[in-house]
Amino acid sequence: MRSAIVPATDLDQWLAWMRRAGADDVYYLPAYHRLYEFQGVQCLAYAASAGGESLFHPFLLRPIARIGAIDAPPGLSDIETVYGYSGPVATTTSPDFLGEAWQGFEGWCREQNVVCEFIRFSPLLRSERFAAPQTEVSLDRETVEIRLEGGEDALWQGYESAQRNRVRKAIRRGLACHETSLVEGLATFRDLYESTMQRAGASDFYFFP
């Protein structure tokens, strides 16, 4: 079994392992992970291969500063996947391959004093199938998938009638959509986003830099 811990800064190696395992989604890209590199967080991926099969698991390694109101002992960390849907991806669900592959990751976690891990699995890739045997999987929420095949007419018919009525009403009131440049649109988008988060009473976490 060949295995490696790959930092998101090593683009070539990260992308090679990612594609080898079939993790073809924006949430697995190294650039997306690097958005979360702050306050000591490291963006890493565990990769393993044997017998033509591969496993790829990107994650955030975070130092634990406090446990509730108590300062944590030095050197402890936890693991969390990025905001969105990722989790491990592999080319097989073979228990033999996955069992052996995850042993390397477990050993590395012990060396790093990792005390727990929280994974947001991908409902599209069903990444929970590739989790380590000791992982506890639970349903947190439902999510909606929209197929883009069929063009605009098929998408329109897929909306509920109440949604179609709201769109028609907005058009009658003069709503128009157009593409704009990043420079022109980003400031407006940020104002709209932050005002929405304030109106929704969102926590500080959602006010991204």
Side-chain angles (χ1 to χ4, degrees):
M1 178 70 64
R2 175 190 172 207
S3 64
I5 296 293
V6 184
T9 52
D10 189 341
L11 298 181
D12 292 340
Q13 190 177 3
W14 181 293
L15 291 172
W17 279 106
M18 184 186 85
R19 290 164 180 158
R20 192 176 299 144
D24 188 17
D25 194 282
V26 66
Y27 291 123
Y28 290 87
L29 292 174
Y32 184 81
H33 278 75
R34 295 201 65 190
L35 294 173
Y36 297 89
E37 281 188 328
F38 57 90
Q39 296 179 345
V41 173
Q42 297 180 61
C43 302
L44 305 169
Y46 173 70
S49 66
E53 306 293 356
S54 295
L55 169 75
F56 181 76
H57 178 45
F59 57 88
L60 309 176
L61 179 67
R62 311 182 307 177
I64 298 175
R66 299 180 66 79
I67 303 174
I70 303 171
D71 290 337
L76 298 182
S77 298
D78 66 11
I79 285 175
E80 181 179 358
T81 53
V82 290
Y83 184 68
Y85 297 119
S86 58
V89 174
T91 54
T92 179
T93 56
S94 164
D96 291 338
F97 170 78
L98 293 176
E100 186 179 356
W102 284 116
Q103 286 180 10
F105 184 62
E106 182 178 346
W108 180 83
C109 287
R110 291 182 186 277
E111 293 174 0
Q112 301 298 316
N113 293 319
V114 174
V115 299
C116 63
E117 178 178 18
F118 177 75
I119 304 172
R120 298 175 177 89
F121 293 110
S122 169
L124 299 180
L125 301 177
R126 292 190 54 219
S127 54
E128 76 281 356
R129 296 176 295 158
F130 311 112
Q134 65 271 31
T135 304
E136 296 182 13
V137 180
S138 61
L139 177 64
D140 180 71
R141 70 192 69 180
E142 300 289 341
T143 189
V144 177
E145 174 186 351
I146 298 176
R147 295 287 179 176
L148 301 181
E149 296 90 346
E152 185 176 330
D153 291 340
L155 288 173
W156 178 253
Q157 293 303 320
Y159 290 148
E160 296 181 358
S161 60
Q163 292 293 86
R164 293 198 297 267
N165 289 336
R166 291 188 183 100
V167 172
R168 292 189 186 103
K169 184 177 181 180
I171 292 173
R172 287 196 301 270
R173 291 187 173 185
L175 177 69
C177 298
H178 64 276
E179 187 173 354
T180 187
S181 69
L182 178 63
V183 173
E184 181 184 355
L186 187 57
T188 301
F189 171 79
R190 180 168 183 169
D191 289 343
L192 287 170
Y193 177 84
E194 292 186 348
S195 64
T196 301
M197 292 299 100
Q198 290 169 355
R199 188 169 63 252
S203 66
D204 291 343
F205 170 81
Y206 292 97
F207 290 85
F208 303 116

